[in-house]
Amino acid sequence: MRCKETPLLGRLGRLVLLLLAGLLALLCRPDAFLSLLVGHSDMEWAREVERENSTGHESAQGVVATESSFSVVGQTNSRQPGTQQAWVLHFGHAPPPLWERTYGGAGMLGASGHAIASLPRGGLVMAGTARGTEGGFWGWLLALSPDGEVLWERTPGHEGVHGFHAVSVLEDGSIVAGGTQDRVGWVVRMDSRGELLWDVKLPQLERVTALVSLPAQRVAVMGTAETSTTGLGISQLVMMESNGWASWQKQLPAEGKGELAALALLPDGGLVATGRLGQPDSSDWSLWVVRMDPRGEPLWEHVPDGLQVEAGRAITVLPDGGIAVAGLSWKELLVDRDAKVWRFSAEGNLLWQKLCGGVKNDMGNGIARLADDSLVVVGSTLSKGAGKTDLWTFGLSPEGELLWEETFGSP
Protein backbone atom coordinates (compact mmCIF):
# COMPACT_ATOMS: atom_id res chain seq x y z
CA MET A 1 0.00 0.00 0.00
CA ARG A 2 1.36 3.44 -0.92
CA CYS A 3 1.14 6.20 1.59
CA LYS A 4 -0.19 9.53 0.40
CA GLU A 5 2.38 12.32 0.56
CA THR A 6 1.26 15.19 2.70
CA PRO A 7 2.01 18.71 1.46
CA LEU A 8 4.33 19.33 4.42
CA LEU A 9 6.32 16.12 3.88
CA GLY A 10 6.52 16.86 0.19
CA ARG A 11 7.96 20.30 0.77
CA LEU A 12 10.42 18.97 3.37
CA GLY A 13 11.49 16.19 1.06
CA ARG A 14 12.15 18.53 -1.80
CA LEU A 15 14.05 20.86 0.54
CA VAL A 16 16.24 18.01 1.79
CA LEU A 17 16.98 16.89 -1.75
CA LEU A 18 17.86 20.47 -2.74
CA LEU A 19 20.20 20.83 0.24
CA LEU A 20 21.87 17.50 -0.53
CA ALA A 21 22.32 18.50 -4.15
CA GLY A 22 23.76 21.82 -3.07
CA LEU A 23 26.17 20.16 -0.63
CA LEU A 24 27.34 17.72 -3.29
CA ALA A 25 27.84 20.56 -5.74
CA LEU A 26 29.77 22.58 -3.17
CA LEU A 27 32.11 19.66 -2.44
CA CYS A 28 32.64 18.57 -6.02
CA ARG A 29 31.94 21.62 -8.15
CA PRO A 30 32.01 24.99 -6.33
CA ASP A 31 31.05 26.75 -9.53
CA ALA A 32 28.01 24.48 -9.87
CA PHE A 33 27.04 25.30 -6.30
CA LEU A 34 27.19 29.02 -7.05
CA SER A 35 25.07 28.47 -10.14
CA LEU A 36 22.54 26.57 -8.03
CA LEU A 37 22.60 29.33 -5.43
CA VAL A 38 22.39 32.42 -7.63
CA GLY A 39 21.18 31.00 -10.93
CA HIS A 40 23.03 30.38 -14.18
CA SER A 41 22.52 33.86 -15.64
CA ASP A 42 23.65 35.52 -12.44
CA MET A 43 26.73 33.31 -12.32
CA GLU A 44 27.66 34.27 -15.87
CA TRP A 45 27.18 37.91 -14.98
CA ALA A 46 29.47 37.50 -11.93
CA ARG A 47 32.13 35.83 -14.06
CA GLU A 48 31.90 38.58 -16.65
CA VAL A 49 32.31 41.25 -13.96
CA GLU A 50 35.33 39.41 -12.60
CA ARG A 51 36.91 39.17 -16.07
CA GLU A 52 36.12 42.79 -16.80
CA ASN A 53 37.76 44.01 -13.59
CA SER A 54 40.82 41.74 -13.69
CA THR A 55 42.70 44.46 -15.55
CA GLY A 56 42.50 48.19 -16.25
CA HIS A 57 42.47 49.53 -12.68
CA GLU A 58 45.23 51.82 -11.45
CA SER A 59 45.42 54.36 -8.64
CA ALA A 60 47.91 56.51 -6.73
CA GLN A 61 47.90 56.52 -2.93
CA GLY A 62 50.84 58.78 -2.01
CA VAL A 63 53.53 61.14 -3.27
CA VAL A 64 56.85 62.47 -1.97
CA ALA A 65 58.87 65.36 -3.39
CA THR A 66 62.56 66.33 -3.26
CA GLU A 67 64.31 69.42 -4.57
CA SER A 68 64.42 68.11 -8.12
CA SER A 69 61.80 65.37 -8.44
CA PHE A 70 58.73 63.62 -7.07
CA SER A 71 57.73 59.97 -6.75
CA VAL A 72 54.27 58.42 -6.73
CA VAL A 73 53.17 55.12 -5.20
CA GLY A 74 50.00 53.16 -5.88
CA GLN A 75 48.88 49.95 -7.54
CA THR A 76 47.95 48.39 -10.88
CA ASN A 77 46.32 45.15 -12.01
CA SER A 78 47.12 45.68 -15.70
CA ARG A 79 50.75 44.59 -15.89
CA GLN A 80 49.86 41.09 -14.70
CA PRO A 81 46.10 40.79 -15.33
CA GLY A 82 44.26 39.35 -12.38
CA THR A 83 47.05 40.19 -9.92
CA GLN A 84 47.41 43.52 -8.16
CA GLN A 85 50.96 44.89 -7.94
CA ALA A 86 52.48 47.89 -6.22
CA TRP A 87 53.50 50.61 -8.67
CA VAL A 88 56.08 53.38 -8.28
CA LEU A 89 56.57 56.18 -10.83
CA HIS A 90 59.46 58.64 -10.53
CA PHE A 91 59.24 62.08 -12.21
CA GLY A 92 61.34 65.17 -12.65
CA HIS A 93 59.26 68.36 -12.24
CA ALA A 94 56.41 67.04 -14.41
CA PRO A 95 55.43 64.04 -16.57
CA PRO A 96 56.52 61.93 -18.33
CA PRO A 97 58.09 59.69 -15.67
CA LEU A 98 61.84 59.18 -15.65
CA TRP A 99 61.18 55.56 -14.65
CA GLU A 100 58.34 53.39 -13.41
CA ARG A 101 58.33 49.88 -11.93
CA THR A 102 55.92 47.35 -10.46
CA TYR A 103 56.64 45.26 -7.37
CA GLY A 104 55.17 42.12 -5.84
CA GLY A 105 57.36 39.08 -6.03
CA ALA A 106 57.46 35.35 -5.40
CA GLY A 107 55.27 34.10 -2.60
CA MET A 108 52.78 36.96 -3.03
CA LEU A 109 49.28 36.66 -4.46
CA GLY A 110 49.04 40.43 -4.73
CA ALA A 111 50.52 43.66 -3.38
CA SER A 112 49.63 47.33 -3.00
CA GLY A 113 51.64 50.45 -2.18
CA HIS A 114 50.09 52.88 0.30
CA ALA A 115 52.84 55.34 1.34
CA ILE A 116 56.28 56.50 0.21
CA ALA A 117 59.19 58.48 1.70
CA SER A 118 62.65 59.62 0.60
CA LEU A 119 65.82 57.97 1.89
CA PRO A 120 68.88 60.10 2.77
CA ARG A 121 70.98 59.17 -0.29
CA GLY A 122 68.29 59.58 -2.91
CA GLY A 123 66.45 56.29 -2.66
CA LEU A 124 62.88 55.59 -1.62
CA VAL A 125 61.08 53.46 0.92
CA MET A 126 57.60 52.19 0.15
CA ALA A 127 55.09 50.81 2.66
CA GLY A 128 52.07 48.73 1.80
CA THR A 129 50.35 45.38 2.01
CA ALA A 130 51.27 42.02 0.51
CA ARG A 131 48.88 39.09 0.21
CA GLY A 132 50.46 35.80 1.24
CA THR A 133 49.97 32.35 -0.24
CA GLU A 134 47.83 31.28 2.72
CA GLY A 135 45.28 33.99 1.97
CA GLY A 136 46.30 36.37 4.76
CA PHE A 137 48.09 39.71 4.51
CA TRP A 138 51.48 41.06 5.57
CA GLY A 139 52.74 44.52 6.34
CA TRP A 140 55.25 45.12 3.54
CA LEU A 141 58.30 47.42 3.32
CA LEU A 142 60.49 47.91 0.27
CA ALA A 143 63.68 50.01 0.07
CA LEU A 144 64.55 51.19 -3.43
CA SER A 145 67.66 52.66 -5.04
CA PRO A 146 67.40 56.04 -6.85
CA ASP A 147 66.57 54.18 -10.07
CA GLY A 148 63.98 51.85 -8.50
CA GLU A 149 66.04 48.70 -7.90
CA VAL A 150 65.07 46.76 -4.78
CA LEU A 151 67.67 47.17 -2.03
CA TRP A 152 65.79 45.09 0.54
CA GLU A 153 62.30 43.83 1.18
CA ARG A 154 60.71 42.98 4.52
CA THR A 155 57.41 41.57 5.75
CA PRO A 156 57.65 41.96 9.54
CA GLY A 157 55.16 40.35 11.87
CA HIS A 158 53.17 37.33 10.80
CA GLU A 159 50.58 36.61 8.14
CA GLY A 160 47.08 37.69 9.08
CA VAL A 161 45.05 40.89 8.92
CA HIS A 162 47.98 43.25 8.57
CA GLY A 163 49.24 46.15 6.46
CA PHE A 164 51.18 49.42 6.52
CA HIS A 165 49.47 52.72 5.67
CA ALA A 166 52.19 55.26 6.60
CA VAL A 167 55.99 55.51 6.50
CA SER A 168 58.63 58.06 7.50
CA VAL A 169 62.42 58.29 7.78
CA LEU A 170 64.08 59.44 11.01
CA GLU A 171 67.14 61.68 11.37
CA ASP A 172 69.51 58.70 11.72
CA GLY A 173 68.21 57.08 8.51
CA SER A 174 66.09 54.47 10.28
CA ILE A 175 62.55 53.87 9.05
CA VAL A 176 59.23 53.83 10.89
CA ALA A 177 56.05 52.41 9.40
CA GLY A 178 52.55 52.30 10.85
CA GLY A 179 49.40 50.36 10.10
CA THR A 180 47.44 47.45 11.49
CA GLN A 181 48.39 44.09 12.95
CA ASP A 182 45.79 41.74 14.44
CA ARG A 183 43.21 44.55 14.15
CA VAL A 184 45.09 47.00 16.41
CA GLY A 185 47.48 49.86 15.68
CA TRP A 186 51.03 48.79 14.87
CA VAL A 187 54.31 50.72 14.53
CA VAL A 188 57.61 49.19 13.34
CA ARG A 189 61.09 50.73 13.36
CA MET A 190 63.90 49.34 11.19
CA ASP A 191 67.46 50.48 10.62
CA SER A 192 68.66 51.62 7.20
CA ARG A 193 69.55 48.01 6.26
CA GLY A 194 66.08 46.73 7.06
CA GLU A 195 66.94 45.09 10.37
CA LEU A 196 64.13 45.24 12.93
CA LEU A 197 64.82 47.55 15.88
CA TRP A 198 61.42 47.27 17.55
CA ASP A 199 57.74 46.85 16.81
CA VAL A 200 54.94 48.00 19.08
CA LYS A 201 51.21 47.37 19.12
CA LEU A 202 48.98 50.25 20.19
CA PRO A 203 45.81 48.62 21.57
CA GLN A 204 44.16 52.02 22.03
CA LEU A 205 44.02 52.25 18.21
CA GLU A 206 42.37 50.06 15.63
CA ARG A 207 44.75 51.30 12.94
CA VAL A 208 47.52 53.83 12.37
CA THR A 209 46.56 56.27 9.60
CA ALA A 210 49.60 58.59 9.55
CA LEU A 211 52.92 59.28 11.25
CA VAL A 212 55.77 61.80 11.04
CA SER A 213 59.36 61.70 12.25
CA LEU A 214 60.46 64.21 14.92
CA PRO A 215 63.85 65.25 16.35
CA ALA A 216 65.67 62.79 18.64
CA GLN A 217 64.19 59.80 16.76
CA ARG A 218 60.71 60.38 18.18
CA VAL A 219 57.57 59.69 16.16
CA ALA A 220 54.14 61.37 16.19
CA VAL A 221 51.52 58.75 15.36
CA MET A 222 47.92 59.39 14.30
CA GLY A 223 45.32 56.65 14.39
CA THR A 224 41.64 55.92 14.84
CA ALA A 225 39.58 53.83 17.25
CA GLU A 226 35.92 53.03 17.79
CA THR A 227 35.30 52.83 14.05
CA SER A 228 32.22 51.23 12.54
CA THR A 229 30.71 50.56 9.14
CA THR A 230 28.01 53.16 9.70
CA GLY A 231 29.77 56.06 11.40
CA LEU A 232 33.02 57.78 12.22
CA GLY A 233 35.45 56.79 14.93
CA ILE A 234 37.66 58.85 17.23
CA SER A 235 41.24 59.90 16.44
CA GLN A 236 44.19 59.60 18.80
CA LEU A 237 47.54 61.37 18.55
CA VAL A 238 50.27 59.27 20.21
CA MET A 239 53.82 60.46 20.94
CA MET A 240 56.36 57.64 20.70
CA GLU A 241 59.89 57.94 22.06
CA SER A 242 62.95 56.54 20.25
CA ASN A 243 62.60 53.17 22.02
CA GLY A 244 58.94 52.74 21.02
CA TRP A 245 57.46 53.80 24.35
CA ALA A 246 54.25 55.85 24.04
CA SER A 247 54.88 58.81 26.35
CA TRP A 248 51.49 60.54 25.91
CA GLN A 249 48.36 60.55 23.82
CA LYS A 250 45.66 63.03 22.93
CA GLN A 251 42.08 62.37 21.80
CA LEU A 252 40.77 64.34 18.82
CA PRO A 253 38.16 65.70 18.68
CA ALA A 254 37.61 66.33 22.38
CA GLU A 255 33.87 65.79 21.79
CA GLY A 256 31.99 64.10 18.97
CA LYS A 257 33.40 61.89 16.24
CA GLY A 258 36.13 62.53 13.71
CA GLU A 259 38.86 60.69 11.81
CA LEU A 260 42.20 62.24 10.86
CA ALA A 261 43.85 60.65 7.84
CA ALA A 262 47.04 62.71 7.35
CA LEU A 263 49.60 64.41 9.58
CA ALA A 264 52.47 66.85 8.95
CA LEU A 265 55.19 68.55 10.99
CA LEU A 266 55.35 72.36 11.02
CA PRO A 267 58.61 74.37 11.19
CA ASP A 268 57.94 75.45 14.79
CA GLY A 269 57.53 71.85 15.97
CA GLY A 270 53.75 71.91 15.91
CA LEU A 271 51.57 69.50 13.97
CA VAL A 272 48.75 69.83 11.48
CA ALA A 273 46.29 67.12 10.45
CA THR A 274 43.34 66.67 8.15
CA GLY A 275 40.45 64.25 7.76
CA ARG A 276 36.71 64.41 8.31
CA LEU A 277 34.56 65.53 11.23
CA GLY A 278 31.09 64.25 12.06
CA GLN A 279 28.21 66.71 11.88
CA PRO A 280 26.15 67.10 15.09
CA ASP A 281 22.85 65.19 15.00
CA SER A 282 23.65 63.89 11.51
CA SER A 283 25.29 60.93 9.80
CA ASP A 284 27.09 63.31 7.42
CA TRP A 285 30.61 64.63 7.84
CA SER A 286 32.73 67.52 6.58
CA LEU A 287 36.33 68.54 5.95
CA TRP A 288 38.38 68.87 9.13
CA VAL A 289 41.76 70.59 9.46
CA VAL A 290 43.33 71.04 12.89
CA ARG A 291 46.55 72.87 13.84
CA MET A 292 48.18 71.69 17.09
CA ASP A 293 51.07 72.72 19.31
CA PRO A 294 53.88 70.19 20.00
CA ARG A 295 51.79 68.69 22.84
CA GLY A 296 48.79 68.06 20.61
CA GLU A 297 46.68 70.93 21.94
CA PRO A 298 44.51 72.43 19.15
CA LEU A 299 45.38 76.03 18.21
CA TRP A 300 42.82 76.37 15.43
CA GLU A 301 40.44 74.17 13.47
CA HIS A 302 38.78 74.63 10.12
CA VAL A 303 35.34 73.13 9.45
CA PRO A 304 33.37 74.61 6.50
CA ASP A 305 30.08 76.36 7.09
CA GLY A 306 27.00 74.60 5.79
CA LEU A 307 26.53 71.01 4.71
CA GLN A 308 29.46 70.02 2.50
CA VAL A 309 30.29 66.32 2.54
CA GLU A 310 34.04 66.53 2.05
CA ALA A 311 37.18 64.99 3.54
CA GLY A 312 40.90 65.69 3.59
CA ARG A 313 43.14 62.73 2.74
CA ALA A 314 46.63 64.28 2.45
CA ILE A 315 48.45 67.39 3.66
CA THR A 316 51.67 69.27 2.93
CA VAL A 317 53.36 72.23 4.64
CA LEU A 318 54.35 75.34 2.67
CA PRO A 319 57.39 77.62 3.22
CA ASP A 320 55.30 80.44 4.72
CA GLY A 321 53.84 78.12 7.36
CA GLY A 322 50.61 77.65 5.41
CA ILE A 323 49.29 74.27 4.36
CA ALA A 324 47.67 72.62 1.36
CA VAL A 325 45.19 69.75 1.65
CA ALA A 326 44.04 67.25 -0.97
CA GLY A 327 40.93 65.13 -0.65
CA LEU A 328 37.47 64.65 -2.03
CA SER A 329 34.06 66.27 -2.26
CA TRP A 330 30.87 64.33 -2.96
CA LYS A 331 28.89 65.56 -5.96
CA GLU A 332 26.20 62.99 -5.27
CA LEU A 333 26.55 61.08 -2.02
CA LEU A 334 27.54 57.42 -2.45
CA VAL A 335 27.56 57.89 -6.22
CA ASP A 336 30.15 60.36 -7.44
CA ARG A 337 33.10 62.37 -6.09
CA ASP A 338 35.45 65.11 -7.26
CA ALA A 339 39.02 65.58 -6.13
CA LYS A 340 39.45 68.81 -4.21
CA VAL A 341 42.39 70.93 -3.05
CA TRP A 342 42.35 73.59 -0.32
CA ARG A 343 45.05 76.09 0.63
CA PHE A 344 45.20 77.72 4.08
CA SER A 345 47.33 80.44 5.63
CA ALA A 346 49.44 79.75 8.71
CA GLU A 347 46.61 81.24 10.78
CA GLY A 348 44.04 78.86 9.32
CA ASN A 349 42.35 81.21 6.86
CA LEU A 350 41.08 79.54 3.68
CA LEU A 351 42.91 81.21 0.77
CA TRP A 352 41.43 79.19 -2.09
CA GLN A 353 39.79 75.87 -2.93
CA LYS A 354 39.64 74.06 -6.25
CA LEU A 355 37.53 71.18 -7.54
CA CYS A 356 39.29 68.87 -9.99
CA GLY A 357 37.85 66.00 -11.98
CA GLY A 358 35.15 65.21 -14.50
CA VAL A 359 31.74 63.66 -14.86
CA LYS A 360 32.61 60.43 -13.03
CA ASN A 361 34.32 59.44 -9.78
CA ASP A 362 37.66 61.14 -9.01
CA MET A 363 39.76 61.34 -5.84
CA GLY A 364 42.81 63.13 -4.50
CA ASN A 365 44.90 60.85 -2.25
CA GLY A 366 48.28 62.59 -2.00
CA ILE A 367 49.82 66.05 -2.21
CA ALA A 368 53.36 67.46 -2.11
CA ARG A 369 55.08 70.81 -2.61
CA LEU A 370 57.67 71.01 -5.40
CA ALA A 371 60.83 73.12 -5.40
CA ASP A 372 59.16 75.98 -7.32
CA ASP A 373 56.36 76.10 -4.69
CA SER A 374 53.86 74.54 -7.06
CA LEU A 375 51.80 71.57 -5.86
CA VAL A 376 51.53 68.05 -7.23
CA VAL A 377 48.37 66.09 -6.45
CA VAL A 378 47.89 62.35 -7.08
CA GLY A 379 44.90 60.04 -6.90
CA SER A 380 42.56 58.14 -9.20
CA THR A 381 40.07 59.02 -11.91
CA LEU A 382 37.25 57.37 -13.82
CA SER A 383 36.61 60.54 -15.83
CA LYS A 384 39.85 60.59 -17.81
CA GLY A 385 42.46 58.29 -19.28
CA ALA A 386 42.58 54.98 -21.10
CA GLY A 387 41.46 52.55 -18.44
CA LYS A 388 38.53 51.90 -16.16
CA THR A 389 40.27 53.56 -13.21
CA ASP A 390 43.48 55.43 -14.00
CA LEU A 391 46.29 56.70 -11.85
CA TRP A 392 45.96 60.48 -11.99
CA THR A 393 48.42 63.27 -11.27
CA PHE A 394 48.23 67.02 -11.83
CA GLY A 395 50.16 70.16 -10.94
CA LEU A 396 48.77 73.39 -9.48
CA SER A 397 50.36 76.80 -9.17
CA PRO A 398 50.66 78.41 -5.70
CA GLU A 399 47.41 80.24 -6.60
CA GLY A 400 45.58 77.04 -7.55
CA GLU A 401 45.75 77.26 -11.36
CA LEU A 402 46.11 73.98 -13.26
CA LEU A 403 49.63 73.71 -14.71
CA TRP A 404 49.61 70.18 -16.15
CA GLU A 405 47.67 66.95 -15.89
CA GLU A 406 48.38 63.33 -16.82
CA THR A 407 46.82 59.89 -16.38
CA PHE A 408 48.47 56.48 -16.44
CA GLY A 409 46.55 53.30 -17.08
CA SER A 410 45.55 50.54 -19.47
CA PRO A 411 42.21 49.63 -21.10
Side-chain angles (χ1 to χ4, degrees):
M1 183 175 68
R2 297 180 60 185
C3 295
K4 185 177 179 181
E5 184 184 69
T6 66
L8 176 59
L9 289 175
R11 287 195 295 270
L12 287 175
R14 286 192 293 273
L15 178 60
V16 169
L17 288 174
L18 181 61
L19 289 174
L20 288 174
L23 179 60
L24 183 63
L26 176 61
L27 292 174
C28 302
R29 289 279 309 279
D31 57 335
F33 172 75
L34 288 176
S35 295
L36 184 66
L37 182 65
V38 301
H40 181 73
S41 61
D42 288 338
M43 189 63 188
E44 286 302 315
W45 173 83
R47 289 191 180 117
E48 181 60 31
V49 169
E50 183 180 4
R51 285 192 296 268
E52 180 72 14
N53 286 285
S54 65
T55 186
H57 292 283
E58 284 77 36
S59 67
Q61 299 297 322
V63 59
V64 63
T66 66
E67 287 297 318
S68 59
S69 64
F70 67 93
S71 301
V72 179
V73 66
Q75 48 267 333
T76 173
N77 70 352
S78 297
R79 301 304 177 84
Q80 188 176 334
T83 300
Q84 183 167 279
Q85 296 177 299
W87 194 16
V88 175
L89 302 91
H90 180 70
F91 300 82
H93 288 289
L98 303 177
W99 58 260
E100 54 96 2
R101 295 176 182 265
T102 57
Y103 305 92
M108 294 184 185
L109 297 181
S112 56
H114 298 153
I116 194 166
S118 296
L119 293 172
R121 288 177 290 278
L124 299 164
V125 59
M126 180 188 70
T129 301
R131 186 178 180 187
T133 55
E134 299 300 318
F137 296 87
W138 297 84
W140 183 41
L141 286 171
L142 207 62
L144 306 176
S145 71
D147 59 358
E149 296 290 339
V150 176
L151 301 176
W152 52 257
E153 180 178 8
R154 301 289 186 270
T155 51
H158 56 272
E159 188 171 1
V161 185
H162 312 318
F164 289 128
H165 309 293
V167 68
S168 187
V169 178
L170 298 170
E171 291 176 328
D172 65 353
S174 62
I175 295 158
V176 286
T180 302
Q181 181 173 248
D182 298 323
R183 296 182 175 86
V184 299
W186 183 37
V187 180
V188 171
R189 182 180 176 193
M190 293 187 164
D191 67 19
S192 59
R193 300 179 302 276
E195 299 302 318
L196 182 67
L197 299 175
W198 49 256
D199 73 309
V200 174
K201 287 185 178 179
L202 299 172
Q204 65 269 47
L205 301 176
E206 294 176 16
R207 65 179 182 272
V208 171
T209 56
L211 52 77
V212 295
S213 57
L214 303 175
Q217 323 311 324
R218 297 182 305 146
V219 186
V221 177
M222 186 68 72
T224 57
E226 299 184 22
T227 59
S228 74
T229 57
T230 58
L232 299 186
I234 295 174
S235 292
Q236 297 270 2
L237 175 65
V238 181
M239 183 60 62
M240 301 189 73
E241 303 301 321
S242 60
N243 61 358
W245 177 60
S247 56
W248 57 262
Q249 66 183 45
K250 179 78 174 179
Q251 178 178 306
L252 296 162
E255 297 180 358
K257 299 280 189 175
E259 296 179 354
L260 291 166
L263 182 68
L265 178 66
L266 292 161
D268 64 359
L271 298 162
V272 63
T274 189
R276 52 183 184 161
L277 185 68
Q279 295 279 0
D281 303 319
S282 172
S283 60
D284 291 330
W285 33 264
S286 62
L287 172 70
W288 183 25
V289 182
V290 55
R291 163 77 154 88
M292 297 162 279
D293 68 15
R295 292 288 302 178
E297 294 295 332
L299 300 178
W300 56 257
E301 297 182 65
H302 174 85
V303 180
D305 295 329
L307 182 59
Q308 301 178 51
V309 186
E310 301 173 333
R313 297 178 61 88
I315 195 166
T316 190
V317 175
L318 307 176
D320 61 359
I323 59 171
V325 171
L328 59 94
S329 178
W330 286 95
K331 291 181 284 190
E332 185 177 352
L333 194 57
L334 302 180
V335 176
D336 199 4
R337 294 168 287 194
D338 272 331
K340 193 167 184 177
V341 182
W342 301 261
R343 180 166 179 174
F344 298 89
S345 70
E347 297 75 28
N349 298 315
L350 179 63
L351 301 179
W352 53 260
Q353 54 188 321
K354 184 177 183 65
L355 283 171
C356 307
V359 296
K360 296 183 181 178
N361 198 40
D362 310 295
M363 292 181 62
N365 294 326
I367 189 169
R369 179 185 66 87
L370 302 182
D372 61 0
D373 289 339
S374 65
L375 300 169
V376 58
V377 182
V378 302
S380 63
T381 177
L382 274 76
S383 301
K384 311 167 188 288
K388 304 173 185 73
T389 308
D390 275 24
L391 185 151
W392 181 33
T393 180
F394 56 90
L396 298 176
S397 73
E399 295 75 35
E401 297 300 320
L402 184 67
L403 300 175
W404 52 264
E405 180 181 22
E406 191 60 77
T407 60
F408 301 88
S410 301

